[in-house]
Amino acid sequence: MQRRRFLMATGAGSAVVLLSACRNGHATERPPASGAWKLTPAQWRQRLTPAQFHILREAGTEPPYSSPLDHEKRAGVYHCAGCALALYSSKTKYDSGTGWPSFWKPLPNAIGTYRDTRLLMARTEVHCRRCGGHLGHVFRDGPPPTGLRYCMNGLALQFRPGETV
């Protein structure tokens, strides 16, 4: 939480978004997609918008406060924009004040994580378990009961209002 406040207060938050394109390598590589979701980059480009491709397939980040899903309050389920796997229930969504949709718990067997060291700091990246798409990051500054903040890119998600899990 302290690092996020510092970055936003100093205006460096925008720099963090711009730096997300930097590639200093990963301590652990993202696992490959499974089964029918082993698509070529050209196939992914056909399925996704350019912005979704950048986020889901190139580990990009959307600008903070740009996603309508950050303010979504209705009951429903959030799915992967790449393969439609159900990822988060609206019951675990909360306003983190970061400008990205945030959740304190994913659905069972929905996500995977790995260590991300691209921005000269260690973070835990969150990806879709089925298609391997980059969703965002998880931090240890969330609310009870988990204390976790799954900070997701809205463009990596599809919201289905009224759906239950």
Side-chain angles (χ1 to χ4, degrees):
M1 185 76 143
Q2 300 259 348
R3 182 182 304 151
R4 182 176 69 237
R5 283 189 186 146
F6 171 77
L7 291 173
M8 293 309 216
T10 62
S14 298
V16 168
V17 172
L18 293 174
L19 287 172
S20 69
C22 293
R23 303 276 182 203
N24 292 338
H26 302 286
T28 306
E29 290 298 320
R30 179 181 308 128
S34 62
W37 296 103
K38 292 181 182 180
L39 304 177
T40 66
Q43 290 170 315
W44 279 116
R45 285 184 192 281
Q46 288 178 332
R47 293 181 59 89
L48 304 169
T49 68
Q52 286 175 318
F53 181 87
H54 176 63
I55 291 167
L56 286 162
R57 309 316 307 169
E58 299 175 325
T61 301
E62 68 192 6
Y65 306 101
S66 65
S67 174
L69 294 181
D70 187 33
H71 303 290
E72 181 61 62
K73 305 282 189 224
R74 295 175 291 175
V77 176
Y78 293 81
H79 294 256
C80 174
C83 70
L85 180 67
L87 303 170
Y88 297 94
S89 167
S90 61
K91 294 175 184 175
T92 65
K93 186 174 186 287
Y94 73 102
D95 184 3
S96 66
T98 61
W100 288 280
S102 298
F103 306 84
W104 52 265
K105 178 183 171 187
L107 293 173
N109 203 27
I111 65 158
T113 61
Y114 76 98
R115 187 173 174 191
D116 173 2
T117 58
R118 283 177 292 159
L119 293 178
L120 305 176
M121 64 179 131
R123 302 181 298 170
T124 302
E125 182 174 315
V126 176
H127 61 269
C128 174
R129 176 199 45 87
R130 182 162 57 192
C131 74
H134 167 80
L135 303 170
H137 292 84
V138 60
F139 302 95
R140 296 185 182 277
D141 61 358
T146 64
L148 299 175
R149 172 175 52 97
Y150 290 85
C151 190
M152 303 293 99
N153 288 287
L155 286 172
L157 304 174
Q158 290 178 336
F159 178 62
R160 296 186 188 168
E163 187 175 291
T164 60
V165 284

